Amino acid sequence: MTPRMNIFQAAPDAMKAMLAVEATFENSGVEHSLMELVKLRASQINGCAFCIYMHVKDATKHGESDMRIHLLDAWRESPLFTDRERAALNWTESLTRVADTGAPDEDYELLKAHFDDKEIAYLTVAIGAINFWNKIQIGLRAVHPVERAAAA
């Protein structure tokens, strides 16, 4: 796959603005580990290899287990995820597939049981942002780095 362009070079002000939005998530009240799971799950749904790579790397760097990352696609069936994480992942799937789901009241009510308004607002912005990043990276054919495995 050949990248179509480097958006950071072609639209630096727009990308600077997106990175500024991303920086606000640190003070959102939503734990970093959960934000990474949300970003990773949306990226899995959208099939964005670049973003999946990036968020797996970031999640593991911050202590996320390999097993939870492997089971993220089956979070509904796995006991490894908390009720708070389940509510956020459900909201992630609902908004990422909004054309099909319509973001139903039940999904929002489940979210409200585990998050306050500020956290819901930032979580919603984060889901919108990762879907935006996925579209950019897929549309412009961004290629993730390739690491060579160490010899066994």
Side-chain angles (χ1 to χ4, degrees):
M1 186 164 64
T2 303
R4 291 177 170 161
M5 76 163 66
N6 181 328
I7 196 163
F8 287 90
Q9 291 173 348
D13 291 339
M15 294 302 93
K16 188 185 298 183
M18 282 301 298
L19 293 173
V21 168
E22 293 284 334
T24 69
F25 301 151
E26 291 302 316
N27 297 317
S28 69
V30 179
E31 51 274 34
H32 183 86
S33 60
L34 181 51
M35 282 291 199
E36 289 303 324
L37 290 176
V38 162
K39 292 174 182 180
L40 181 53
R41 183 67 191 121
S43 299
Q44 287 175 333
I45 292 167
N46 290 323
C48 183
F50 185 92
C51 293
I52 291 169
Y53 176 90
M54 186 173 103
H55 293 294
V56 165
K57 293 287 284 184
D58 199 38
T60 55
K61 182 175 100 178
H62 286 91
E64 187 57 71
S65 76
D66 289 341
M67 188 56 66
R68 281 175 32 104
I69 290 171
H70 290 304
L71 287 167
L72 184 59
D73 188 41
W75 65 267
R76 291 179 193 276
E77 291 79 30
S78 174
L80 296 182
F81 299 92
T82 67
D83 289 342
R84 180 173 164 92
E85 290 168 336
R86 290 173 184 284
L89 292 168
N90 186 66
W91 190 236
T92 301
E93 290 187 3
S94 186
L95 294 185
T96 300
R97 297 180 170 129
V98 72
D100 296 325
T101 70
D105 290 340
E106 311 86 72
D107 292 350
Y108 187 74
E109 291 303 319
L110 178 62
L111 196 65
K112 283 179 56 173
H114 298 280
F115 295 88
D116 64 28
D117 285 350
K118 178 183 175 185
E119 292 170 326
I120 291 171
Y122 277 101
L123 191 57
T124 302
V125 171
I127 294 165
I130 191 58
N131 276 278
F132 179 71
W133 284 114
N134 291 164
K135 287 165 180 34
I136 289 171
Q137 303 300 35
I138 293 168
L140 298 179
R141 303 286 190 257
V143 179
H144 67 79
V146 176
E147 297 174 12
R148 302 290 173 216

